[in-house]
Amino acid sequence: MNKMFLLLCAGVIGMAIAAPSVPCGVPTVQPITNRIVGGQVARPGSWPWVVLLVDDLGYISGSGVMIDSHVILTSAQHFEGFGYNLFDLDLRLWRVYAGEYNISTTDPHEKYYHIKRVVIHPGYNITSLENDIALVITTQPIQLNDHTRPGCLPDPSTQAPVGSVCYLPGWGGTATTGNEEVMNQVDLPIVDDSICQTHFPDYLPNTELCAGYENQHKDWCWDDLGSPLMFKANNGAWVIQGLASSGGNCTTADEPSVFEDISMYTQWIRTTMEDAGYPYQY
């Protein structure tokens, strides 16, 4: 779906800075973790780090994941591709919706924020989609609460091994299998790199993750671009393992998909956040 987003009556942007005691990756509403055919509607507040990105024309661009009260991690494709680049966009008119659930209504916990700056990975390649990652810096701090809180960056001890089941939440199309107005989620297992190399000859195993199914009718859709692939670590916190980058086709849903492997970018993310004045806290 790529429909006009009309949430023009959202509340005034919150100015409160979150207390340091707010943990990353720990929702107050537990996500649904049973696996069914296709995706399913997510519980409100169960993925509180997922934000909705709306472009300067009022259309849904995709999703991102909050890692700080000022910093969103997402796909570089939102801002640069064939025929458009970061300098063409009027970022002043873009909106980041946190606490979002139902895009057809103004949710009780929903607030929108404006973008101050976008930092695209210097190695991003619009053809190969190598290093398809960007950081969005918001003008004002995102107000944290039970429905809006950060996700955790991974480290070597929290990498999801092959066979691990991850979850991708977002507002992408459901190919008529669900309610497209609310956040949905789909379970996607990590699979061996060789599977994606078979389906996608330009797959980059050093910086990308392969997750999903062959002929299982489960996949993400284009409006899920930049959505996080979440893995529950042994300590119970949800960790951002990947970002939806390419291969998402919920119409056929007969192939796995390609995600940026966030564990390979943690140093760049931390350094960039530090340089922007918002060091990673967790």
Side-chain angles (χ1 to χ4, degrees):
M1 68 180 179
N2 194 19
K3 56 193 176 185
M4 182 69 76
F5 191 82
L6 296 177
L7 295 177
L8 300 180
C9 56
V12 177
I13 298 172
M15 295 292 291
I17 298 175
S21 60
V22 175
C24 71
V26 181
T28 56
V29 178
Q30 292 305 306
I32 300 168
T33 54
N34 60 305
R35 302 167 66 186
I36 64 170
V37 176
Q40 60 186 311
V41 171
R43 288 175 179 151
S46 59
W47 304 106
W49 36 83
V50 183
V51 302
L52 184 70
L53 299 178
V54 177
D55 68 19
D56 50 356
L57 297 178
Y59 289 96
I60 294 174
S61 184
S63 299
V65 53
M66 183 174 59
I67 54 177
D68 178 85
S69 59
H70 274 96
V71 185
I72 307 298
L73 176 63
T74 191
S75 166
Q77 292 180 71
H78 291 302
F79 309 105
E80 288 199 3
F82 291 105
Y84 65 99
N85 61 53
L86 186 59
F87 301 103
D88 296 330
L89 306 176
D90 191 347
L91 292 178
R92 297 171 302 173
L93 299 180
W94 281 61
R95 292 183 179 185
V96 175
Y97 283 84
E100 182 64 75
Y101 181 71
N102 188 327
I103 63 174
S104 64
T105 65
T106 300
D107 296 310
H109 306 282
E110 164 196 321
K111 293 182 182 295
Y112 70 80
Y113 301 84
H114 294 289
I115 295 176
K116 176 181 180 181
R117 181 186 174 203
V118 171
V119 184
I120 294 175
H121 192 286
Y124 171 55
N125 185 305
I126 64 172
T127 301
S128 66
L129 297 183
E130 185 175 8
N131 304 311
D132 178 21
I133 186 171
L135 294 183
V136 174
I137 312 297
T138 60
T139 301
Q140 294 164 307
I142 297 174
Q143 185 177 357
L144 303 193
N145 52 52
D146 287 350
H147 288 254
T148 303
R149 51 178 55 197
C152 301
L153 291 178
D155 58 46
S157 66
T158 55
Q159 276 198 298
V162 171
S164 300
V165 178
C166 299
Y167 294 84
L168 184 133
W171 291 272
T174 63
T176 71
T177 63
N179 183 353
E180 296 187 353
E181 301 301 309
V182 301
M183 179 186 286
N184 281 261
Q185 65 180 62
V186 62
D187 55 278
L188 300 171
I190 303 293
V191 296
D192 192 80
D193 289 330
S194 61
I195 303 296
C196 274
Q197 287 174 315
T198 299
H199 288 271
F200 312 108
D202 56 353
Y203 177 75
L204 303 168
N206 290 332
T207 56
E208 293 177 337
L209 281 176
C210 187
Y213 306 87
E214 293 178 293
N215 302 311
Q216 290 289 316
H217 306 294
K218 291 188 180 185
D219 207 345
W220 56 279
C221 285
W222 184 248
D223 277 355
D224 290 316
L225 180 67
S227 291
L229 187 69
M230 303 301 302
F231 171 66
K232 193 170 187 178
N234 291 333
N235 65 1
W238 288 91
V239 175
I240 308 159
Q241 285 295 303
L243 285 181
S245 178
S246 63
N249 187 342
C250 58
T251 303
T252 56
D254 57 357
E255 295 180 300
S257 289
V258 177
F259 300 83
E260 290 302 308
D261 184 350
I262 297 306
S263 69
M264 304 305 295
Y265 293 97
T266 52
Q267 188 57 55
W268 178 80
I269 293 169
R270 287 172 178 267
T271 300
T272 304
M273 290 177 67
E274 184 88 33
D275 291 345
Y278 307 107
Y280 185 65
Q281 300 179 46
Y282 300 101

